[in-house]
Amino acid sequence: MSRYNQKNGQQVAAKIDRALYRDYRNSLAKLTFNSRPIINELSKKAETHIDQNDTVLKAIEDHLRFTVPKHKLPVFYLLDSIIKNVGGMYISSLHGRIERIFMEMYKSVDETVKGNMERTLGTWRHG
């Protein structure tokens, strides 16, 4: 499985580790409510696999795409945790993708979740 990334203005294929992808997707299935312990566990796993950040992000993106709307906000909080606590290559890899992720999710959730997403996004802009 491969995914394309931008590198110096060129598209390069990023290898997706199938075993890590499956493992992370299975772990994401536990994130059905706002659980700090689960978010911390998944953030630590993302940090452990920072060199395979494209695999982790693909798992998160696919999970958001296919999970029911009521389970999306905790996954958005996971992305927030990864951005704030792991950073590094995840921020670089999310550049150019986060807007699409946000907008796809935003279209599928209710007004309360939209408000929570907007507040979280505001913390990204203001540090």
Side-chain angles (χ1 to χ4, degrees):
M1 195 181 314
S2 68
R3 179 168 185 96
Y4 288 94
N5 274 342
Q6 290 285 101
K7 184 175 182 177
N8 298 329
Q10 300 175 348
Q11 281 195 338
V12 293
K15 273 292 213 194
I16 300 299
D17 179 319
R18 290 176 189 258
L20 174 59
Y21 175 86
R22 276 191 305 272
D23 179 53
Y24 209 85
R25 281 294 303 268
N26 288 337
S27 295
L28 284 165
K30 297 185 288 186
L31 194 54
T32 59
F33 61 101
N34 187 14
S35 168
R36 179 158 306 282
I38 296 171
I39 290 171
N40 287 344
E41 172 193 330
L42 287 165
S43 293
K44 286 181 198 296
K45 188 180 283 194
E47 184 173 24
T48 300
H49 296 287
I50 197 163
D51 59 323
Q52 296 168 310
N53 61 78
D54 280 312
T55 298
V56 172
L57 290 174
K58 176 153 177 49
I60 292 170
E61 286 180 271
D62 288 351
H63 184 76
L64 280 170
R65 194 170 293 118
F66 297 112
T67 197
V68 295
K70 69 180 183 177
H71 294 165
K72 291 184 181 202
L73 185 60
V75 181
F76 190 71
Y77 289 153
L78 169 63
L79 271 176
D80 179 60
S81 175
I82 291 170
I83 288 166
K84 291 176 179 170
N85 300 312
V86 181
M89 293 302 297
Y90 283 98
I91 293 173
S92 298
S93 292
L94 281 166
H95 183 73
R97 292 161 67 172
I98 194 66
E99 183 177 333
R100 180 182 43 75
I101 293 168
F102 183 90
M103 292 310 297
E104 284 177 8
M105 183 179 157
Y106 196 83
K107 291 176 195 173
S108 70
V109 296
D110 64 32
E111 294 303 314
T112 302
V113 173
K114 287 177 181 176
N116 288 328
M117 290 175 66
E118 290 167 5
R119 279 189 288 287
T120 301
L121 182 63
T123 67
W124 295 352
R125 292 184 184 137
H126 305 297

